[in-house]
Amino acid sequence: MIKIILAKKAGFCMGVKRAVELVFKTARTYQDKQIFTLGPIIHNPQVLHLLEKQGVNVINIPEEAPSGSVVVIRAHGIPPQIKEKLLSRQVTVVDATCPRVIKVQRIIRQYFQKGYQIIIIGEKEHPEVKGLMGYADNLAWVANNEEEVKALPEAQQVLVVAQTTQNEVLFKQLATMIKKRYPEVKVFNTVCNSTHERQEEVRHLAKKVEAFVVVGGKMSGNTRRLAQIAREAGIKTYHIETEAELNPAEIKTYRTIGVTAGASTPYWLIRRVIFGLEDALAENIPWWWRIPYKMVKFALLTNLWAATGGAALAIMGCKLNGIHINKAPFIAFFYLWAMHLLNHLTDFEATRLTDPSRANFYERYRFLFMSIGLAAIFISLKLTSPWPLAFLSMILLNITGLIYNIKIPFLKVKLKELPGSKTILVPLAWGFLASIFPLFLQNNVHLYPGPIFIFIYLSLLAFVRTCCFDLLDIQGDQMVGRETLPIVLGEKKSFKLLYLLIGILIFLTIFLTFKRLFPKEFYLYSLILIGFLIYIWQMERKYLRPGVLSEAIIDGQFILMGIINLI
């Protein structure tokens, strides 16, 4: 069996995540000012490209910062003397230094003032090390191997600390050598826990895989060390920045591949690499599994899968309203397909930045998908004949969907830029299409309390679905300026909200089915929702790696529910 195993600790560490969130928040807060980072905020060219698109540029020395501008100090930190120069230039300083680096800075300052000679185990030219040296008036010694330790001058009292992204095994070896050399030695193991954990995970996974793919910037020290550890374990290792660097001919020769990523690698880049690996390895799986895999992938890429999920929700709405399944599922399918296609086509810039392979696909077939989208709108309107209320509702829904990416003059913003709009407006549209709209396709419309409750129930289901996708896309959305609900609330609170809502939906489904207010087959819905709750838990804990099948589950739950109603 072919396996792709993703390390649980792959991607942004706490310090980098904090720095990236802070710089993008700064870009949104100070839109009327020039914004700079003193040196690259992190060592990842894709993230730096996104920042440049947001108007955040890189400077290398304080003198390059104009008076009145905003300067963000990167996660690696800077010497205190440089920070003083920045403040003297009357700029707004936003300090994104990693809290764990700040801890090392304080230790160095404290012991340097006591007369200790500071020894830093790390790379002399690394920005973090340069920043740390500033806290010892640039008099610290730096060593990164046994030869450099042997070449160090004599001293009485020494303090040994580590660059936070250092190889912990190497740090301990060199610290032991230093203890034997000097009369009084104090050692602080300042290798970050995150660094230690991801390095140990690579060593552990290396025993289970045939090859390793390490994702991250070529200039990132911690990413290079992960690749080095994998190579030292004796397995073939590929250090890549994007999925474009994968060699499918080589990849498909392996049956088990491990994937990890440096602390400065965003999750959306890891997802793209996973999809690339799946494509390469798909050639080795049996045809009876390869064909459905490719069909589902195509359906995800073209949004047919999402549209089918919306149609399935409309089938549920008809069943709950006690009416025959009418044209509502077909209308929902064509409307949702049109909106997904056209919104991708009108928001190319954001898609190109966070998912260039999808953007290239849509750009290559732009005329075709534009034609399909417009045709789908026409079909959704045509199917509402001869019911005036349904026709007017569909016109309003189409107008709202089409202007989602367009700046509204009197609001002076796009609907998509309103905080949480995507996470809230999309579920409401899905809920309306599935619950209220099917009633408009009848001669007698009665909006008694039942349909309103059904609207709330189905909208909650759709909200859970949208929130899941927003959590998967949270880093990409943040980097292109979308303020989805998970960005506003934060990941932890968003997962707690999902647990609560799914728990409520499970309770309501069982209770209302027991009271015979829901059809008896809805007991099966509660089992599907329990399974989805487990999926969310695995997603939060990162037990479930990204990929075609894992992402297909989100809308797949609706499709399964719809199939149950049709049987």
Side-chain angles (χ1 to χ4, degrees):
M1 183 176 177
I2 295 168
K3 278 186 179 180
I4 300 170
I5 304 174
L6 175 64
K8 292 175 187 175
K9 297 295 180 181
F12 281 172
C13 65
M14 176 276 294
V16 170
K17 183 174 181 290
R18 174 181 173 273
V20 170
E21 287 177 355
L22 197 53
V23 75
F24 279 100
K25 182 180 178 182
T26 301
R28 293 192 294 272
T29 304
Y30 297 96
Q31 293 183 8
D32 57 335
K33 291 188 177 183
Q34 288 180 285
I35 302 171
F36 304 93
T37 61
L38 187 58
I41 188 74
I42 55 174
H43 284 143
N44 185 277
Q46 288 74 33
V47 174
L48 297 179
H49 179 60
L50 284 168
L51 279 169
E52 191 178 328
K53 291 287 185 180
Q54 295 284 319
V56 180
N57 294 300
V58 178
I59 57 173
N60 295 307
I61 55 174
E63 288 75 14
E64 293 177 2
S67 177
S69 62
V70 179
V71 178
V72 182
I73 296 173
R74 55 185 172 175
H76 304 108
I78 59 173
Q81 301 86 348
I82 299 295
K83 190 171 184 178
E84 288 171 11
K85 281 185 182 180
L86 275 175
L87 292 171
S88 70
R89 294 187 63 78
Q90 297 181 330
V91 301
T92 302
V93 175
V94 178
D95 195 344
T97 305
C98 172
R100 290 189 171 97
V101 174
I102 292 173
K103 181 181 176 181
V104 188
Q105 292 172 349
R106 287 172 179 164
I107 292 171
I108 290 173
R109 173 177 276 169
Q110 177 187 350
Y111 280 86
F112 180 72
Q113 290 173 348
K114 290 179 180 179
Y116 279 75
Q117 173 60 52
I118 310 300
I119 301 176
I120 303 169
I121 305 300
E123 300 171 44
K124 192 169 187 178
E125 296 305 312
H126 193 280
E128 180 191 323
V129 174
K130 288 182 177 180
L132 294 177
M133 289 183 70
Y135 286 83
D137 290 345
N138 292 314
L139 297 173
W141 300 336
V142 181
N144 201 35
N145 53 52
E146 291 185 7
E147 289 70 26
E148 290 179 357
V149 168
K150 291 175 183 176
L152 293 175
E154 295 302 317
Q156 289 300 309
Q157 297 176 306
V158 300
L159 169 78
V160 183
V161 294
Q163 177 184 331
T164 57
T165 56
Q166 185 57 267
N167 182 327
E168 188 171 33
V169 172
L170 176 64
F171 170 74
K172 288 179 178 178
Q173 289 173 351
L174 299 185
T176 301
M177 284 184 64
I178 292 169
K179 282 181 180 178
K180 293 176 180 178
R181 248 198 91 178
Y182 296 98
E184 183 182 342
V185 180
K186 286 193 176 294
V187 177
F188 285 86
N189 184 349
T190 54
V191 175
C192 172
N193 286 340
S194 176
T195 300
H196 167 72
E197 288 168 357
R198 70 183 66 220
Q199 289 176 358
E200 286 302 306
E201 195 172 16
V202 168
R203 291 186 180 98
H204 177 70
L205 284 179
K207 300 172 184 176
K208 300 180 178 181
V209 300
E210 297 175 6
F212 234 114
V213 175
V214 181
V215 189
K218 299 291 172 65
M219 297 300 294
S220 167
N222 75 86
T223 308
R224 291 199 307 270
R225 269 181 282 280
L226 292 176
Q228 178 188 352
I229 290 168
R231 290 189 186 103
E232 288 172 353
I235 61 173
K236 182 69 175 177
T237 302
Y238 302 88
H239 179 181
I240 64 173
E241 290 188 350
T242 72
E243 75 283 5
E245 296 175 57
L246 291 170
N247 184 337
E250 284 189 39
I251 292 299
K252 66 182 182 182
T253 62
Y254 305 109
R255 297 190 63 82
T256 310
I257 296 178
V259 180
T260 190
S264 54
T265 307
Y267 194 67
W268 48 268
L269 264 179
I270 301 169
R271 282 174 67 196
R272 279 165 42 186
V273 168
I274 294 287
F275 274 90
L277 287 170
E278 283 189 343
D279 283 347
L281 294 173
E283 300 304 317
N284 292 339
I285 60 179
W287 67 268
W288 49 266
W289 182 242
R290 183 168 67 249
I291 291 173
Y293 163 81
K294 290 193 172 182
M295 288 174 65
V296 171
K297 184 186 177 184
F298 179 79
L300 284 169
L301 192 62
T302 58
N303 296 294
L304 281 165
W305 193 254
T308 304
L313 205 67
I315 292 172
M316 294 165 57
C318 291
K319 192 79 172 181
L320 287 171
N321 276 311
I323 62 177
H324 291 294
I325 296 172
N326 51 31
K327 294 180 180 179
F330 299 99
I331 294 171
F333 173 85
F334 284 109
Y335 167 76
L336 292 172
W337 195 24
M339 292 304 106
H340 277 82
L341 286 176
L342 296 175
N343 276 313
H344 272 301
L345 292 170
T346 55
D347 196 21
F348 255 130
E349 190 59 30
T351 307
R352 188 179 287 110
L353 290 172
T354 58
D355 195 350
S357 56
R358 179 186 282 264
N360 291 338
F361 177 75
Y362 275 96
E363 200 157 25
R364 193 181 311 131
Y365 302 107
R366 187 168 193 159
F367 179 77
L368 173 63
F369 285 127
M370 184 68 74
S371 301
I372 291 173
L374 294 174
I377 288 176
F378 175 78
I379 294 170
S380 69
L381 290 168
K382 181 67 177 174
L383 289 173
T384 59
S385 176
W387 296 281
L389 194 55
F391 180 75
L392 291 172
S393 298
M394 189 49 54
I395 286 178
L396 183 61
L397 282 170
N398 275 296
I399 291 172
T400 305
L402 289 171
I403 66 172
Y404 186 71
N405 285 326
I406 300 170
K407 187 169 285 188
I408 302 168
F410 62 90
L411 289 176
K412 295 184 179 178
V413 293
K414 300 175 183 178
L415 282 176
K416 73 168 187 176
E417 293 172 349
L418 297 174
S421 63
K422 179 185 170 189
T423 323
I424 295 170
L425 293 179
V426 171
L428 290 177
W430 280 53
F432 174 80
L433 277 170
S435 59
I436 306 297
F437 188 79
L439 301 174
F440 292 172
L441 298 171
Q442 299 193 123
N443 293 324
N444 296 314
V445 179
H446 298 288
L447 294 180
Y448 48 89
I452 302 300
F453 175 79
I454 294 166
F455 166 72
I456 295 171
Y457 177 81
L458 295 180
S459 293
L460 281 177
L461 277 174
F463 176 85
V464 167
R465 175 249 180 213
T466 306
C467 200
C468 283
F469 278 115
D470 287 347
L471 280 165
L472 285 174
D473 295 332
I474 188 168
Q475 289 176 358
D477 284 338
Q478 190 176 54
M479 291 177 186
V480 296
R482 295 191 190 114
E483 290 200 55
T484 59
L485 198 63
I487 290 174
V488 175
L489 290 180
E491 284 187 74
K492 286 186 179 179
K493 288 182 180 178
S494 295
F495 274 112
K496 286 180 181 178
L497 179 61
L498 279 179
Y499 290 138
L500 175 64
L501 290 178
I502 297 173
I504 290 171
L505 285 166
I506 292 170
F507 171 77
L508 285 175
T509 303
I510 295 173
F511 177 76
L512 294 172
T513 307
F514 177 76
K515 289 291 185 180
R516 298 184 180 179
L517 295 172
F518 278 6
K520 60 183 180 181
E521 61 265 28
F522 272 55
Y523 277 125
L524 294 175
Y525 283 22
S526 62
L527 294 177
I528 294 171
L529 287 169
I530 290 169
F532 196 68
L533 190 66
I534 296 170
Y535 170 85
I536 297 295
W537 178 76
Q538 289 182 318
M539 183 175 152
E540 182 189 21
R541 300 284 177 175
K542 292 188 168 39
Y543 294 145
L544 189 72
R545 67 163 176 81
V548 170
L549 296 181
S550 62
E551 294 191 18
I553 289 173
I554 299 175
D555 282 322
Q557 60 169 333
F558 294 164
I559 295 172
L560 184 56
M561 289 174 177
I563 290 171
I564 290 171
N565 271 313
L566 291 174
I567 295 175

